[in-house]
């Protein structure tokens, strides 16, 4: 007899879907979308549709493993949890006494997004006095760009898009990364809206758009300025709105916009001047133009400024003052909880060193005083996902580095560990989930018992705390007790939520923000086109890092619909759908090099060399090479995957990653 229980998708995706799990004899046998979930409903993506294949994969780690061969080779023997915890505590205490606790570095990101499991390590590492990780691999530059103009103004509810008449999908492959938002866009389209896609190649979302505009990588800021130039020149600006709700338009119009003529815009972006003019007119004429902004275009040296410039555009036509219009970059509902209750920065005796996660290669190889002697990786796979893979692997191979990896699978990172600890999947532990693409909140209880001897992040960190002799009662509570404590503290965003449904494990909606906003969340309460607190008070065009690079092809390493960064590569079915680790280039680029579809090729730059299977396709414009997915080395055609070609350089603000801002050349193998 099977039963159906509820759970939430734990992955780093804006949708955070509600799940129904069919359970039989302690195993998940079927996974489907929860029709009662207010945002995601019954449909699931191709990855979660068979989540049970991940949960019960024959690749799951079942016991703690101790290395008994060279690093990277994957040679381990099984040990008990008690031995494992004792080894970690012993090595950390020894490192602390010879090098200081800052020689210990935690490394985690977003393998699970639940508030408790994701942040479970912070209290322990703060209490130890370990180095702190600056977690800016994803979209910190995007956040900084949006904040510069809009402060902490809440984003529009995603349902607003349903009644827009012009939807601009700007640098977002929604068919891969936001399928439930795309459903809403399709609804708007059926009601007559036009849909534009502005991207670097024609991907899986292109069929859902009426028009696709391909920009040169990293130049979207110039496109936004060009559109604003035309709006200003042709009197299409809503001056009355700007006067009431924004500051700095006159300065922008006087000093920045004049040089961004359609001709100059065409030179910078590759979009023809008459098209720029037409886009501006149609955007201005729309009743409710709605921009959904992705994150890819912020992963460039100019990423924060690009986002800031795009965020300025809707102000010029008064779109921030209308229903069903404006801009949605991401939803921030962290204030629904007092996160300090989990993060416990107060456990730090004094502020410790901060290490940027995008520069792990540099940190492991070069950082000094103290040198990093212990690395603890949990729900992240830096050997695959971090930039400059050659530097990361060189660091991980250091014999004097004590590395612990807490994982569900023997990932590329786990292969370099001294000690591997088996982790539960989301179906096996408790958590509470916010979303960055909707206003939903969901609590989840374990749906099945832990697979093998796997343990949750929370359980491992509390066990380690005991082993290390940390006696604060904080470390003696269960994940559920911590969740109860979080829920007990009131917060305006949670007012009026359906407590009964939350307790039943059903997704509930937080308070909907008013849209359009009455007042903007900036110090002046207006849209700050001119922001006096910025080093650059006005938006302007900054070129990407790679503008100065002479190699011929821009490398765009974009999301795959059949993976999530380096997650889901354990799945044979999903890897088969990707048909191998491919590099997509235009027929002209292939012909110029005498390369044919399906051939093995080598992509090269100053950082590394990566073998791919070539895919020749006119969905990618000349001058661009697209690699979808972040492949495990185990399944790569050569010894490296895409991040051997990406650099550790950071964005213009907020120390973000620049994954897309790299160039390569290509040759036959
Ligand atoms: N299936 C799937 N779902 C995912 C992920 C995944 O890898 N696969 N990743 C998850 C994660 S971690 C995140 S952060 C979110 C969002 O994940 P993101 O990686 O931010 O993905 P998107 O927002 O869809 O945007 C990426 C798009 O930006 C485009 N792009 C790159 N450079 C430029 C440029 O210069 N200009 C323009 N206009 N476009 C550009 C790429 O071609 C791509 O289509 O999705 C999450 N969901
Ligand atoms: N070239 C290139 N590189 C990229 C990107 C790109 O677009 N191109 N995208 C970047 C982005 S946007 C992001 S957000 C990062 C993501 O980087 P990561 O957060 O490292 O993401 P994943 O690759 O999903 O790896 C997560 C790991 O966590 C493990 N895991 C899952 N649940 C649990 C758990 O409960 N406990 C423990 N201990 N482990 C668990 C999974 O098995 C998986 O191996 O990658 C970045 N890297
Ligand atoms: Mo991300």
């Amino acid at each position: 007899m099977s039963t159906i229980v509820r759970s939430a998708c734990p992955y780093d995706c804006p949708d955070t879907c509600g799940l129904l799990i069919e359970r039989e004899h302690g195993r998940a046998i079927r996974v489907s979308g929860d029709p009662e979930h207010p945002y995601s409903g019954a449909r699931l993506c191709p990855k979660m549709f068979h989540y049970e294949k991940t949960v019960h994969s024959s690749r799951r780690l079942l016991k703690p493993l101790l290395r008994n061969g060279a690093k990277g080779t994957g040679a381990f023997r099984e040990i008990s949890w008690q031995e494992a915890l004792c080894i970690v505590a012993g090595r950390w205490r020894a490192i602390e006494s010879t090098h200081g606790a800052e020689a210990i570095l935690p490394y985690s990101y977003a393998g699970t997004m639940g508030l408790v499991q994701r942040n479970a390590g912070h209290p322990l590492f703060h209490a130890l006095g370990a180095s702190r990780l600056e977690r800016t691999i994803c979209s910190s530059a995007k956040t900084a760009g949006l904040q510069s103009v809009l402060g902490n103004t809440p984003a529009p509810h995603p349902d607003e898009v349903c009644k827009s008449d012009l939807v601009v999908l700007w640098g977002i492959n929604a068919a891969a990364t936001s399928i439930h938002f795309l459903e809403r866009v399709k609804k708007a389209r059926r009601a007559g809206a036009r849909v534009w896609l502005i991207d670097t190649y024609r991907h899986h979302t292109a069929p859902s758009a009426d028009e696709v505009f391909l920009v040169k990588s990293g130049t979207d800021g110039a496109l936004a300025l060009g559109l604003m130039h035309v709006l200003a020149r042709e009197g299409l600006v809503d001056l009355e709105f700007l006067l009431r709700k924004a500051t700095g338009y006159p300065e922008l119009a006087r000093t920045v916009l004049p040089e961004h003529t359609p001709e100059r815009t065409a030179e910078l972006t590759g979009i023809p001047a008459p098209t720029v003019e037409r886009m501006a007119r149609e955007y201005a004429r729309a009743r409710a133009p709605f921009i959904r902004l992705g994150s890819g275009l912020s992963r460039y040296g100019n990423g924060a400024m690009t986002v800031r410039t795009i965020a300025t555009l809707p102000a010029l036509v008064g779109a921030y003052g209308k229903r069903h219009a404006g801009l949605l970059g991401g939803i921030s509902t962290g204030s629904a909880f007092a996160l300090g209750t989990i993060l416990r920065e107060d456990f730090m005796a004094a502020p410790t060193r901060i290490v940027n996660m995008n520069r792990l290669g540099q940190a492991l190889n070069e950082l000094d005083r103290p040198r990093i002697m212990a690395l603890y990786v949990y729900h992240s796979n830096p050997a695959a996902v971090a930039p400059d893979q050659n530097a990361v692997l060189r660091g991980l191979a250091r014999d004097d580095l004590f590395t612990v990896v807490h994982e569900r699978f023997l990932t590329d990172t786990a292969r370099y560990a001294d000690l591997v600890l088996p982790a539960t999947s989301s179906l096996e532990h408790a958590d509470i989930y916010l979303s960055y693409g909707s206003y939903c909140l969901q609590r989840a209880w374990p749906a099945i018992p832990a697979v093998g001897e796997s343990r949750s992040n929370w359980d491992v960190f509390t066990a380690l705390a005991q082993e290390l002799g940390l006696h604060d009662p904080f470390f003696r509570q269960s994940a559920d007790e911590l969740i109860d404590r979080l829920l007990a503290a009131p917060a305006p965003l949670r007012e009026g939520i359906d407590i009964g449904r939350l307790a039943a494990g059903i997704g509930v909606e937080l308070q909907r923000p008013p849209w359009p906003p009455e007042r903007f969340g900036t110090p002046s309460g207006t849209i700050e086109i001119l922001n006096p607190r910025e080093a650059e008070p006005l938006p302007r065009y900054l070129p990407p890092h790679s503008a100065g690079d002479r190699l011929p092809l821009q490398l765009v390493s974009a999301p795959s619909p059949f993976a999530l960064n380096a997650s889901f590569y354990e799945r044979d079915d999903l890897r088969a759908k990707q048909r191998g680790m491919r590099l997509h280039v235009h027929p002209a680029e292939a012909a110029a090099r005498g390369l044919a579809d399906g051939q093995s090729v080598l992509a090269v730059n100053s950082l590394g060399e990566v073998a791919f299977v070539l895919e020749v396709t006119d969905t990618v414009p000349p001058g661009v090479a697209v690699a979808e997915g972040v492949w495990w080395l185990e399944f790569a055609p050569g010894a490296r995957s895409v991040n051997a070609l990406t650099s550790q350089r950071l964005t213009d603000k907020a120390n973000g990653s620049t994954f897309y801002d790299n160039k390569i050349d290509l040759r036959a193998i």
Side-chain angles (χ1 to χ4, degrees):
M1 256 285 285
S2 69
T3 45
I4 300 223
V5 289
R6 289 201 150 82
S7 194
C9 178
Y11 287 96
D12 184 0
C13 172
D15 289 20
T16 320
C17 298
L19 308 178
L20 294 181
I21 312 296
E22 190 175 342
R23 174 180 68 191
E24 197 175 70
H25 308 305
R27 290 173 65 90
I29 57 168
R30 217 182 321 275
V31 176
S32 53
D34 182 356
E36 291 201 49
H37 190 280
Y39 182 67
S40 60
R43 222 180 118 230
L44 288 183
C45 71
K47 309 180 296 300
M48 290 307 281
F49 181 58
H50 279 300
Y51 186 38
E52 77 284 356
K53 292 190 185 177
T54 289
V55 170
H56 298 294
S57 163
S58 59
R59 291 175 169 268
R60 276 293 294 274
L61 295 168
L62 304 176
K63 281 177 169 277
L65 302 172
L66 186 67
R67 180 166 69 88
N68 66 355
K71 289 200 174 188
T73 57
F76 296 98
R77 70 177 172 85
E78 292 180 353
I79 59 170
S80 72
W81 268 103
Q82 194 40 53
E83 265 180 281
L85 295 170
C86 180
I87 292 171
V88 180
R91 288 294 298 266
W92 282 1
R93 285 299 186 206
I95 286 167
E96 187 187 356
S97 62
T98 33
H99 303 271
E102 283 182 331
I104 303 170
L105 179 70
Y107 197 98
S108 72
Y109 197 64
T112 180
M113 294 291 281
L115 292 183
V116 168
Q117 303 298 346
R118 182 179 192 190
N119 297 307
H122 286 66
L124 178 74
F125 290 113
H126 288 332
L128 279 174
S131 287
R132 282 175 291 168
L133 188 71
E134 186 175 36
R135 292 174 171 83
T136 52
I137 203 167
C138 180
S139 52
S140 60
K142 179 186 189 180
T143 304
L146 291 171
Q147 269 176 355
S148 173
V149 183
L150 299 165
N152 56 12
T153 309
H157 191 284
D159 288 351
E160 291 288 334
V161 80
C162 301
K163 290 188 177 156
S164 160
D165 63 340
L166 176 63
V167 183
V168 184
L169 299 172
W170 200 324
I172 184 167
N173 185 354
T177 62
S178 305
I179 62 167
H180 296 97
F181 185 78
L182 192 60
E183 280 175 2
R184 287 162 171 80
V185 174
K186 287 177 177 168
K187 190 169 165 196
R189 199 174 178 212
R190 282 195 298 275
R194 287 179 60 72
V195 179
W196 292 352
L197 173 65
I198 305 177
D199 211 289
T200 50
Y201 74 111
R202 299 179 72 89
H203 47 60
H204 319 78
T205 308
S208 303
D210 296 288
E211 274 195 85
V212 179
F213 303 96
L214 297 186
V215 286
K216 285 187 198 160
S217 233
T219 68
D220 300 82
L223 176 58
L225 290 167
L227 295 174
M228 290 192 273
H229 173 101
V230 177
L231 296 177
R233 190 185 67 189
E234 302 192 356
L236 298 171
V237 170
D238 186 342
L239 288 172
E240 193 267 334
F241 175 81
L242 288 169
L243 199 65
R244 273 191 305 120
K245 297 286 187 182
T247 39
Y249 173 69
E251 291 84 347
L252 182 81
R254 198 173 57 240
T255 61
V256 180
L257 296 186
E259 64 175 300
H260 287 278
T261 60
E263 293 68 32
R264 173 143 159 69
T265 308
E267 264 167 49
L268 289 170
T269 66
I271 296 190
T275 308
V276 175
E277 289 172 334
R278 178 171 64 81
M279 288 174 84
R281 289 172 198 142
E282 289 185 21
Y283 183 73
R285 231 180 356 232
R287 168 184 50 80
F290 189 109
I291 297 174
R292 178 69 173 97
L293 188 64
S295 308
L297 50 71
S298 73
R299 298 186 190 119
Y300 287 84
N302 60 2
M305 186 60 99
T306 296
V307 170
R308 184 177 166 195
T309 310
I310 294 171
T312 302
L313 174 66
L316 267 64
V317 298
Y320 288 124
K322 296 178 186 167
R323 293 229 45 197
H324 320 303
L327 180 143
L328 170 54
I331 290 175
S332 161
T333 51
S335 64
F337 293 103
L339 290 179
T341 313
I342 309 184
L343 301 176
R344 297 311 300 257
E345 294 198 340
D346 57 308
F347 282 175
M348 251 186 307
T352 57
R353 174 170 74 179
I354 294 177
V355 176
N356 186 283
M357 70 184 303
N358 298 305
R359 310 204 65 205
L360 179 66
Q362 189 264 347
L364 292 179
N365 294 302
E366 294 165 37
L367 204 61
D368 219 344
R369 284 181 293 161
R371 191 160 164 76
I372 291 168
M373 301 305 295
L375 180 70
Y376 185 98
V377 181
Y378 54 117
H379 63 88
S380 182
N381 184 3
V385 304
D388 199 352
Q389 189 175 51
N390 282 311
V392 172
L393 295 182
R394 198 162 60 243
L396 289 175
R398 265 177 50 200
D399 259 328
D400 61 344
L401 177 72
F402 173 63
T403 302
V404 182
V405 177
H406 185 206
E407 250 299 343
R408 302 175 308 165
F409 300 106
L410 199 64
T411 57
D412 296 329
T413 311
R415 282 174 192 278
Y416 282 85
D418 294 278
L419 190 58
V420 182
L421 305 175
T424 42
S425 80
S426 62
L427 296 192
E428 301 147 52
H429 56 235
D431 217 331
I432 187 156
Y433 298 87
L434 289 169
S435 157
Y436 63 93
S438 82
Y439 282 93
C440 290
L441 170 69
Q442 191 178 353
R443 183 168 186 174
W445 277 272
I448 55 168
V451 169
E453 293 181 17
S454 63
R455 292 192 188 178
S456 72
N457 293 359
W458 180 260
D459 289 348
V460 174
F461 283 116
T462 47
L464 273 172
Q466 302 302 315
E467 195 67 32
L468 286 157
L470 301 173
H471 293 304
D472 194 289
F474 178 86
F475 295 112
R476 252 172 269 130
Q477 57 189 332
S478 69
D480 270 319
E481 283 164 343
L482 183 54
I483 295 169
D484 288 339
R485 193 152 291 152
L486 283 169
L487 285 166
L493 257 185
R494 292 206 321 279
E495 263 166 35
I497 59 168
D498 190 329
I499 300 287
R501 285 171 83 83
L502 187 69
I506 306 173
V508 298
E509 279 225 310
L510 299 166
Q511 289 288 330
R512 266 187 194 221
W515 192 265
E518 261 304 304
R519 202 187 135 80
F520 291 86
T522 56
S524 66
T526 68
I527 301 163
E528 295 192 338
I529 296 173
L530 186 150
N531 182 331
R533 297 170 309 282
E534 293 276 357
E536 302 254 8
L538 285 168
R540 70 178 178 103
Y541 180 64
L542 300 177
H545 289 149
S546 52
D549 186 335
R550 257 191 266 265
L551 291 177
L553 294 168
Q554 186 83 33
L555 174 67
V556 174
S557 90
S560 160
F562 306 112
L564 192 141
N565 301 317
S567 284
F568 293 105
Y569 283 88
E570 71 280 358
R571 291 268 294 276
D572 300 339
D573 56 331
L574 294 172
R575 281 198 322 279
K577 291 213 161 100
Q578 287 199 58
R579 299 186 305 127
M581 187 173 126
R582 294 176 159 248
L583 191 70
H584 305 221
V585 300
H586 189 269
E589 298 290 358
R593 293 168 178 80
L595 300 172
D597 190 68
Q599 180 174 351
S600 294
V601 292
L602 202 62
V604 297
N605 64 18
S606 62
L607 296 166
E609 300 190 343
V610 180
F612 289 93
V613 178
L614 191 70
E615 176 147 339
V616 180
T617 166
D618 60 11
T619 57
V620 174
V624 175
V626 176
E628 291 184 352
V630 182
W631 283 70
W632 288 4
L633 297 178
E634 185 179 350
F635 304 115
R640 293 289 181 265
S641 56
V642 66
N643 278 322
L645 301 166
T646 60
S647 98
Q648 298 182 59
R649 288 180 298 210
L650 301 177
T651 50
D652 49 340
K653 271 194 75 183
N655 297 337
S657 60
T658 58
F659 284 113
Y660 297 10
D661 200 354
N662 300 277
K663 285 189 170 177
I664 55 167
D665 203 351
L666 198 59
R667 57 171 189 258
I669 289 186

